[in-house]
Amino acid sequence: MAGLLALFVLMLTACGGNSGNNQTADNAANSGAAANAAPAATAEATVEPAPSAAESATRTIEYLGEEYTVPATAERIVITGAMEAMEDALVLDVHPVGAITFGGAFPERFAAITDKAESIGEKTEPNFETILKLKPDVILGTTKFKPEVVEQLKKIAPLIQVSHIASNWEDNLNLLAELTGKQEQAQAEIAKYQADLDSAKAQLGEKLKDQKVVALRIRAGQVFIFPATVFVNPILYNDLGLAVPAEVEAAKAQEAISVEQLAAMNPDVMFLQFATDENAEAATALEDLQNNPIIQKINAMKNDKTFVNVIDPLAEGGPAWSRVQFLKAFVEKLNQ
């Protein structure tokens, strides 16, 4: 009996030991499986990493009474349609990743800021596919865009439509400055323009009192006059305080005038802008106008006060760059 009892105890001990070993093996197997599964989960997670806090951070900026949500850091800017923004980029030395071309090429005057840019199409024809490929942080468009173009651009990135109204030039410059962190530079440029303006008034004195001063543009072979708030007219009649001619006052928009109408206007000082791109089918329009016997009788022609292309012929006229350049040229020409 004692022997049987001892044998029974030994059997129980053996069974208990095997059970413990099996459980340990199972636990080890499960742990190994879990360890092997972890790298797979990690690899899968790295395929599409979540954006960092810096990348997903946004801010709200205000422009002309509207609020816009844009990335906290707007490094990749695309400019399409808004020549005002192109000129402001020149002033602030902002280099967009995508910009407007003319005939497939960047105009020479924008060479300093388009060194790293790709063409995103012509002024009125943005290339949506190219803009999408550039992955912009912000798109600066124009208020002249049609609604369908606006909707397409908004699907790509935050869109801000830059005003084409000349009186909004400071707001436009400050907008680009806020996007790029160049607020101090923008304020310095505005202050410098105001100082140059005060100096110009002091230099000119009463020289232009009772003088009729006009700025005209030749397009498609025709002479165009502009309202007092368009083109470089705000510089002449608002900033410099010159008298607004009745013909300018009467203009409601860009309007073509005849040779006879220009002669009847009889300006004392005349600024003419002529771009070959805008007169492809009337290449001799400027020469024809200057040689016209009727035009040669007006005061500006008789007194050598007709000035052609004192700034780039395709300059907008209203933005900061145009103002600075035109004011400088205006003073130089009138002091000759």
Side-chain angles (χ1 to χ4, degrees), residues 12-151:
L12 286 175
T13 303
C15 289
N18 289 339
S19 176
N21 290 339
N22 289 342
Q23 184 175 2
T24 301
D26 289 344
N27 289 342
N30 290 337
S31 298
N36 290 335
T42 302
E44 183 178 5
T46 57
V47 173
E48 294 182 3
S52 66
E55 290 174 333
S56 59
T58 60
R59 57 185 168 131
T60 300
I61 62 175
E62 185 173 335
Y63 169 65
L64 294 179
E66 297 289 335
E67 290 189 343
Y68 299 88
T69 300
V70 299
T73 302
E75 296 180 345
R76 300 183 62 80
I77 295 176
V78 163
I79 301 175
T80 174
M83 294 304 297
E84 294 79 8
M86 290 289 288
E87 291 197 15
D88 288 342
L90 268 181
V91 174
L92 298 177
D93 192 33
V94 172
H95 297 240
V97 295
I100 305 164
T101 51
F102 287 77
F106 294 118
E108 182 61 30
R109 69 186 174 115
F110 295 119
I113 60 165
T114 53
D115 53 327
K116 300 176 182 177
E118 287 190 37
S119 168
I120 48 76
E122 303 298 292
K123 182 178 178 180
T124 58
E125 300 173 353
N127 186 314
F128 302 119
E129 184 177 349
T130 300
I131 296 174
L132 179 63
K133 182 186 69 174
L134 290 174
K135 298 180 180 180
D137 295 318
V138 176
I139 299 172
L140 296 179
T142 175
T143 45
K144 294 181 180 181
F145 273 154
K146 295 179 179 179
E148 54 268 29
V149 174
V150 171
E151 290 306 310

Side-chain angles (χ1 to χ4, degrees), residues 63-236:
Y63 169 65
L64 294 179
E66 297 289 335
E67 290 189 343
Y68 299 88
T69 300
V70 299
T73 302
E75 296 180 345
R76 300 183 62 80
I77 295 176
V78 163
I79 301 175
T80 174
M83 294 304 297
E84 294 79 8
M86 290 289 288
E87 291 197 15
D88 288 342
L90 268 181
V91 174
L92 298 177
D93 192 33
V94 172
H95 297 240
V97 295
I100 305 164
T101 51
F102 287 77
F106 294 118
E108 182 61 30
R109 69 186 174 115
F110 295 119
I113 60 165
T114 53
D115 53 327
K116 300 176 182 177
E118 287 190 37
S119 168
I120 48 76
E122 303 298 292
K123 182 178 178 180
T124 58
E125 300 173 353
N127 186 314
F128 302 119
E129 184 177 349
T130 300
I131 296 174
L132 179 63
K133 182 186 69 174
L134 290 174
K135 298 180 180 180
D137 295 318
V138 176
I139 299 172
L140 296 179
T142 175
T143 45
K144 294 181 180 181
F145 273 154
K146 295 179 179 179
E148 54 268 29
V149 174
V150 171
E151 290 306 310
Q152 286 292 329
L153 292 173
K154 283 183 176 179
K155 294 176 182 178
I156 299 174
L159 169 69
I160 302 177
Q161 291 176 264
V162 179
S163 173
H164 67 279
I165 305 300
S167 59
N168 291 328
W169 72 276
E170 290 185 49
D171 295 289
N172 290 349
L173 188 66
N174 286 326
L175 166 65
L176 186 59
E178 187 170 357
L179 286 172
T180 58
K182 297 193 175 189
Q183 294 94 326
E184 290 186 5
Q185 184 178 345
Q187 289 305 307
E189 293 291 347
I190 293 171
K192 185 179 184 304
Y193 174 73
Q194 186 59 53
D196 290 344
L197 190 59
D198 293 339
S199 175
K201 290 178 180 179
Q203 290 182 54
L204 294 172
E206 298 293 311
K207 186 178 292 187
L208 295 176
K209 185 179 180 181
D210 300 325
Q211 296 279 293
K212 184 180 287 188
V213 182
V214 297
L216 308 170
R217 209 164 200 160
I218 301 176
R219 287 175 163 169
Q222 289 186 292
V223 178
F224 285 87
I225 194 171
F226 299 85
T229 58
V230 179
F231 190 37
V232 297
N233 285 351
I235 307 171
L236 296 173

Side-chain angles (χ1 to χ4, degrees), residues 169 189-204 208 231-242 271 273 310-312 315 317-335:
W169 72 276
E189 293 291 347
I190 293 171
K192 185 179 184 304
Y193 174 73
Q194 186 59 53
D196 290 344
L197 190 59
D198 293 339
S199 175
K201 290 178 180 179
Q203 290 182 54
L204 294 172
L208 295 176
F231 190 37
V232 297
N233 285 351
I235 307 171
L236 296 173
Y237 310 125
N238 184 66
D239 296 357
L240 289 168
L242 303 180
F271 290 90
Q273 292 292 100
V310 296
I311 58 174
D312 189 285
W321 185 88
S322 287
R323 286 175 184 263
V324 169
Q325 299 300 320
F326 182 79
L327 180 62
K328 179 182 178 182
F330 181 87
V331 174
E332 288 179 354
K333 297 299 182 182
L334 270 298
N335 280 331

